[in-house]
Amino acid sequence: VELLEPAFRAHPSRLGLRQSLAGAYVALGETDRAEVALRDLLDRRPRDAYARSRLVSLLIGRGNHDEALAVLDEGVRIDPTQPSFHVRRAELLWEAGRRDEALEGLRGALARSPRAGPLRKAAIDRLHETGQHEAALELAEGGVEAAPREAWAHFLLAQARRMAPGGHESAAVEAAYRRALELDRRLFAAADDLAVWLANTGAIDRARQVLEEALPHLDATAPARGRLAWLIHEEGSATRAIEAMEAVLAEAPGYDWGWHAVLDWMEETHDWPRVVRLLEELPPGMESDLRFRVRRLKLLQEAGVSPSSLDREWEGLMEANPTSVPLVINRFNDLRDRQEPAAAERLLQRYLPRASAA
């Protein structure tokens, strides 16, 4: 900010500086100044999707949902071909209980932009959420008609076929997944989905083959290798699965799904020496995952680590997240289980009013 504000005063017509300054205000939590900067930017460049999205997020963070919706309505009027405006608008309407209006808006946007993948996915997801699986399948089939060479369209069709009432023939589901992968070998979401679906039908060897074929095409291989470890667990060997996942985490220590999976498996095996070895130090990249950190502390205690040696980390978590109700409850239960009622009571007095207010 100290660098951007003088530059902005010297060159007020440079919209890039306005955008950078608004982003800096947001990052610093100076929401009033950020709002002024973002609104000023939109006055000068009303089609700026970045500025409009940041302003909507800021307003939602303050609880001003109606105002955020008005900003999106204006965006839709100015640029009806921008998918992000329609998707975000539908989210707000859905949360407000205006579901028919949300779906109507998405369908209208799709009529104008039938090849817009994010729009079609948002509409399909909402239909599935309300149990309208046949309508979701029709929309997915329409996506393939509109964009037959797009991998995402076949991926959405595979998912919709899988979720349709009574299901579809396995061959039809698998064919849609495989067509998506033929069109884009890097679409790991399709490979992962197909592998899980195959594993759930008992075809673990075929699931493994899907992932192994995907690996050479991926820039980040941890998710595929992690899923391969999961397949080992599905075959019934938790210990071998842990060992495989350890190798993945050694190369990708911030792979959060892998860490949560390995916590589940170590809890299952009661391999307490391994728990201490893997979790004694907080893995780099997992500092901001509050759920992981709480699970880690609880598992270390189960493994026999002295609770008092973990108190400092518990206290650090509480100070950093004073409004987290789940964290307050977890720490209260921890102290109660340790037969420390006075400490548990002090915890509630100190943190529960702040958490409840939030």
Side-chain angles (χ1 to χ4, degrees):
V1 171
E2 292 178 0
L3 294 174
L4 288 169
E5 285 181 337
F8 172 67
R9 286 193 293 269
H11 305 283
S13 62
R14 294 188 179 178
L15 297 183
L17 280 174
R18 289 178 183 272
Q19 189 178 76
S20 297
L21 185 59
Y25 287 145
V26 170
L28 291 173
E30 298 186 20
T31 56
D32 290 339
R33 300 171 78 182
E35 181 177 353
V36 170
L38 289 167
R39 289 189 183 278
D40 180 59
L41 186 58
L42 285 174
D43 286 341
R44 296 168 183 270
R45 194 161 59 186
R47 290 176 179 268
D48 189 325
Y50 168 85
R52 195 169 297 276
S53 176
R54 295 300 291 265
L55 178 58
V56 167
S57 295
L58 186 151
L59 293 170
I60 291 173
R62 289 176 169 174
N64 298 338
H65 290 253
D66 289 342
E67 196 171 348
L69 187 58
V71 171
L72 287 168
D73 285 339
E74 180 186 51
V76 167
R77 286 194 300 272
I78 292 169
D79 186 2
T81 64
Q82 175 55 254
S84 64
F85 296 162
H86 293 282
V87 171
R88 199 73 181 277
R89 178 178 180 274
E91 289 174 357
L92 288 182
L93 289 171
W94 201 265
E95 291 169 4
R98 297 158 64 181
R99 296 186 166 189
D100 290 342
E101 193 176 344
L103 282 169
E104 181 183 352
L106 289 171
R107 287 184 182 277
L110 270 175
R112 288 187 294 270
S113 306
R115 293 173 57 87
L119 279 177
R120 197 167 293 275
K121 183 180 186 309
I124 289 171
D125 287 346
R126 297 305 181 190
L127 289 168
H128 281 312
E129 192 173 330
T130 54
Q132 300 179 65
H133 301 300
E134 289 289 355
L137 179 58
E138 289 180 15
L139 269 189
E141 290 170 341
V144 170
E145 291 174 9
R149 299 288 302 171
E150 296 289 344
W152 61 261
H154 294 272
F155 178 35
L156 292 179
L157 178 59
Q159 292 182 314
R161 283 177 174 173
R162 197 188 69 222
M163 297 181 69
H168 268 62
E169 289 186 7
S170 297
V173 175
E174 185 172 350
Y177 277 125
R178 291 196 180 277
R179 181 57 178 153
L181 290 169
E182 286 175 8
L183 292 167
D184 186 357
R185 297 288 183 186
R186 297 169 299 172
L187 186 58
F188 175 69
D192 190 50
D193 227 32
L194 175 56
V196 171
W197 180 75
L198 287 170
N200 289 338
T201 63
I204 289 182
D205 287 341
R206 292 170 61 205
R208 185 177 289 109
Q209 182 181 8
V210 168
L211 295 167
E212 289 173 346
E213 289 175 353
L215 274 170
H217 305 283
L218 304 175
D219 294 328
T221 61
R225 293 169 61 209
R227 184 62 74 185
L228 284 166
W230 176 83
L231 288 178
I232 296 172
H233 182 268
E234 291 301 291
E235 289 179 311
S237 179
T239 299
R240 285 180 50 235
I242 293 169
E243 291 168 352
M245 190 68 84
E246 272 194 75
V248 178
L249 294 171
E251 295 182 15
Y255 176 36
D256 55 353
W257 186 88
W259 277 113
H260 283 285
V262 90
L263 290 185
D264 290 339
W265 302 339
M266 289 193 297
E267 197 166 19
E268 178 185 322
T269 60
H270 294 177
D271 187 348
W272 304 130
R274 189 190 297 269
V275 167
V276 174
R277 176 172 60 79
L278 274 182
L279 300 179
E280 192 168 22
E281 298 295 329
L282 180 64
M286 297 299 292
E287 297 88 352
S288 61
D289 189 328
L290 185 58
R291 178 169 165 262
F292 169 80
R293 294 189 65 175
V294 169
R295 291 190 69 196
R296 169 180 165 267
L297 290 172
K298 294 168 76 172
L299 204 54
L300 283 169
Q301 285 185 207
E302 282 192 66
V305 175
S306 168
S308 60
S309 69
L310 303 173
D311 282 345
R312 179 174 293 182
E313 188 169 346
W314 272 114
E315 291 165 7
L317 281 178
M318 296 301 307
E319 286 297 322
N321 305 276
T323 61
S324 171
V325 173
L327 180 58
V328 172
I329 293 171
N330 270 292
R331 180 55 169 159
F332 173 81
N333 290 337
D334 171 60
L335 292 169
R336 184 190 58 187
D337 293 344
R338 288 162 51 179
Q339 305 298 314
E340 297 184 29
E345 182 63 29
R346 287 195 300 271
L347 174 89
L348 291 183
Q349 292 174 355
R350 182 176 183 182
Y351 290 107
L352 194 56
R354 297 158 72 182
S356 300

